[in-house]
Amino acid sequence: MSNVTVVGLQWGDEGKGKIVDLLSEQADIVVRFQGGNNAGHTLVVNDITYKLSLLPSGIVRKGKLSVIGNGVVIDPWSLVDEIERIGKLGVSITPQNLIIADNACLILPLHRDLDALREENAGPKARIGTLKRGIGPAYEDKVGRRAIRACDLGEKTTLQNKVERLLIHHNSLRKGLGAKEIDTQELLESLYKIASKILPYVKPAWKYLYNAKGQNKKILFEGAQGAMLDIEHGTYPYVTSSNTYAGQAAVGSGIGVGSIGYILGLTKAYTTRVGGGPFPTEQSNSVGKLLQEKGNEFGTVSGRSRRCGWLDACMLRQTVIKEGVQGIALTKIDVLDSLKEIKICVGYKLDGKKIDYYPSSQIAQAKVEPIYETMAGWQTKTQGLRDFDALPKAAIRYIKRIEELLGVPVVIISTSPEREDTIVIKNPYATDNTENLSAHSALLGRTLADASR
Ligand code: GDP
Ligand code: IMO
Ligand code: MG
């Protein structure tokens, strides 16, 4: 298998940056295919911490090509800042190692404004808790067919026509929200200015991927956010505005659906969420506090504290099935080291009835009560372990139970933020892509009673 797609299975921050960085050693190209600078991916390599937002996590390794695919929304000003910030840490970023898809849509300052205005004007219950980076409004303009694309930066007439059209829409919205109208010429001038810094990277990215395929090069697709933030499959409307599912790797980069390779799903050994929305296994108590402190659960981008709770195997099982996940990377197991007991959610109760899936209705999503299974903790250090056999027995039992409940193998275990503190049970690049499909179909036939045995 020459390609691997890494996706988050929860509400983001599962450790995608660390795992993509680890796997990128084996890849030639790393591709981001959705989201924007709402992502915050942390890599720790030899005591240097890299916090990436839009740049693919392969950028820190020499000799790799990084691609920002067409499915991503790009804030050019923020990207230029990030290139400079990461450059200061000794990473050279040039058009030789970074490509921006020419058909990717841009985030403009007016999108950031609108994102913030909407959040500020929403009541506490309606507030999504976005990062106010303009992600939602930029995707709205993309679907509304009025977005400015990266390639437009090189065509003054196109840019002028598109900005005029865009401002008819945005200025009427701004008027309604009491914000100052945008001047066409001012916006155009700022776009002309940033264009010279962005255009050297802007290329038909799909062609590079196609050529790479022909040369049997290995591609690593890096997801942002997580499955439960997916615009369709997540906890709508408390979601982000893109498809975070692995299938988007094909559409969001311009490669055939057969080429996204092995789908590696990431989950923490517990659950976190930033921003509003339902979270059935949330622990607003001493357990939640311990997870937050030990796990250093503060947003990479916003610094907001992340809500914490137990692992939700029922929700994960549903995602594994729907998304076609073939193997699991289990991260942050070390955060559970001091716990006497660990709970896993194996199903829910809704209006007194047991159900074995997470419903779509907003009311039901907020109302379900988790059914827990309790396991013994290991109360010894797993932090920094690099060998499966060194894991305490109780930790192995926990991992095996997760495999049973999800119906797919745990192939990677992460035991600290450091790149090398990782146990690779099965290398995703050395896996036959047809594996686990039978596991999926077996899983579909399982009932809650089977799962909670
Ligand atoms: P991403 O958005 O999925 O890339 O994840 P983030 O980088 O936002 O959040 C994950 C955080 O956990 C980062 O601070 C990582 O350095 C850290 N991390 C990743 N894996 C592990 C692990 O196995 N153990 C611990 N303790 N921290 C980890
Ligand atoms: P990574 O890639 C965690 C959340 C926000 C908010 C919702 C919508 O680091 O895992 P948006 O700004 O996207 O319109 O906000 O989605 N969110 C994330 N939460 N990790 C992320 O990315 C996130 N990106 C967006 O907190 O609830
Ligand atoms: Mg993150």
Side-chain angles (χ1 to χ4, degrees):
M1 177 46 49
S2 53
N3 300 334
V4 173
T5 296
V6 172
V7 282
L9 301 181
Q10 300 171 306
W11 282 287
D13 305 325
E14 298 90 349
K16 297 177 291 293
K18 168 177 168 165
I19 300 298
V20 168
D21 167 57
L22 177 85
L23 293 176
S24 67
E25 185 188 12
Q26 300 175 74
D28 301 291
I29 306 180
V30 182
V31 185
R32 274 280 308 268
F33 54 88
Q34 47 72 227
N37 58 330
N38 49 348
H41 298 176
T42 316
L43 286 55
V44 185
V45 186
N46 299 330
D47 290 333
I48 303 179
T49 300
Y50 303 89
K51 288 180 183 290
L52 303 174
S53 252
L54 196 56
L55 291 169
S57 294
I59 200 81
V60 305
R61 292 202 193 247
K62 282 205 177 86
K64 312 286 172 186
L65 177 66
S66 288
V67 175
I68 300 179
N70 54 272
V72 175
V73 281
I74 301 164
D75 181 330
W77 295 273
S78 165
L79 179 60
V80 167
D81 286 351
E82 190 176 337
I83 290 175
E84 209 180 295
R85 183 168 55 79
I86 299 301
K88 281 189 187 143
L89 295 174
V91 179
S92 162
I93 302 165
T94 69
Q96 270 62 56
N97 65 346
L98 176 68
I99 288 179
I100 299 174
D102 52 6
N103 51 344
C105 293
L106 302 186
I107 301 179
L108 306 178
L110 51 81
H111 295 125
R112 275 184 251 140
D113 293 349
L114 187 56
D115 198 352
L117 278 166
R118 284 196 185 133
E119 284 288 281
E120 281 149 21
N121 286 321
K125 279 201 175 150
R127 204 166 285 150
I128 289 164
T130 73
L131 290 142
K132 300 183 186 171
R133 299 231 157 157
I135 305 295
Y139 276 116
E140 283 170 34
D141 279 351
K142 173 178 176 171
V143 178
R145 295 168 291 191
R146 36 172 196 271
I148 312 287
R149 298 187 301 164
C151 55
D152 299 334
L153 291 173
E155 292 178 8
K156 279 198 164 177
T157 327
T158 313
L159 204 53
Q160 170 130 18
N161 292 340
K162 289 184 93 169
V163 164
E164 280 168 7
R165 176 158 181 259
L166 188 73
L167 287 183
I168 292 172
H169 178 81
H170 275 275
N171 277 337
S172 44
L173 272 177
R174 291 173 74 94
K175 246 194 270 174
L177 290 163
K180 190 172 161 276
E181 285 183 48
I182 308 260
D183 178 71
T184 309
Q185 211 46 42
E186 247 175 61
L187 177 54
L188 277 170
E189 290 301 330
S190 65
L191 283 167
Y192 296 152
K193 232 165 124 185
I194 200 74
S196 61
K197 295 188 178 162
I198 295 289
L199 281 171
Y201 300 97
V202 176
K203 294 171 190 170
W206 67 270
K207 256 172 132 323
Y208 286 79
L209 298 179
Y210 174 71
N211 289 339
K213 245 167 77 173
Q215 294 163 17
N216 269 332
K217 290 203 168 156
K218 292 179 179 164
I219 308 175
L220 181 57
F221 295 95
E222 174 181 14
Q225 290 80 51
M228 297 316 290
L229 288 170
D230 182 283
I231 185 74
E232 283 163 79
H233 302 282
T235 44
Y236 193 90
Y238 301 97
V239 291
T240 192
S241 295
S242 64
N243 283 111
T244 63
Y245 264 39
Q248 174 64 16
V251 181
S253 64
I255 201 163
V257 283
S259 297
I260 66 167
Y262 181 90
I263 302 174
L264 179 69
L266 265 67
T267 172
K268 292 184 203 198
Y270 51 99
T271 311
T272 64
R273 167 160 217 178
V274 208
F279 180 175
T281 60
E282 183 169 17
Q283 297 297 301
S284 312
N285 52 30
S286 58
V287 171
K289 224 174 162 46
L290 181 140
L291 295 173
Q292 190 184 77
E293 277 165 16
K294 291 239 166 172
N296 193 22
E297 295 297 355
F298 299 94
T300 310
V301 174
S302 63
R304 289 181 293 176
S305 50
R306 298 175 183 151
R307 301 155 63 192
C308 297
W310 297 118
L311 190 78
D312 191 335
C314 184
M315 201 180 277
L316 284 169
R317 179 170 65 219
Q318 184 160 331
T319 298
V320 162
I321 292 168
K322 286 166 80 181
E323 193 166 358
V325 171
Q326 290 163 290
I328 301 285
L330 184 68
T331 61
K332 304 189 92 161
I333 188 142
D334 53 297
V335 175
L336 306 182
D337 281 354
S338 65
L339 288 167
K340 200 165 169 226
E341 283 186 338
I342 298 168
K343 292 188 179 182
I344 313 181
C345 169
V346 294
Y348 308 105
K349 258 191 185 166
L350 178 63
D351 297 326
K353 280 199 193 112
K354 279 188 180 179
I355 54 168
D356 62 354
Y357 70 100
Y358 191 54
S360 298
S361 130
Q362 213 175 321
I363 292 179
Q365 287 196 344
K367 208 158 73 168
V368 292
E369 292 167 53
I371 300 171
Y372 288 116
E373 199 173 279
T374 303
M375 298 191 72
W378 40 94
Q379 295 190 287
T380 172
K381 200 169 140 183
T382 64
Q383 190 201 350
L385 292 183
R386 299 177 180 186
D387 181 5
F388 186 82
D389 294 331
L391 285 170
K393 286 211 166 59
I396 294 176
R397 272 197 294 274
Y398 185 60
I399 295 161
K400 292 285 160 206
R401 188 67 187 128
I402 292 171
E403 289 187 331
E404 265 174 26
L405 290 166
L406 304 193
V408 279
V410 171
V411 295
I412 293 177
I413 300 163
S414 167
T415 58
S416 105
E418 266 286 342
R419 180 193 276 170
E420 305 298 338
D421 291 341
T422 317
I423 301 167
V424 179
I425 300 165
K426 195 161 197 177
N427 178 0
Y429 272 108
T431 311
D432 173 358
N433 201 34
T434 56
E435 268 179 43
N436 303 324
L437 292 178
S438 54
H440 276 156
S441 44
L443 192 63
L444 278 167
R446 278 170 77 162
T447 63
L448 173 63
D450 290 335
S452 55
R453 234 185 305 144

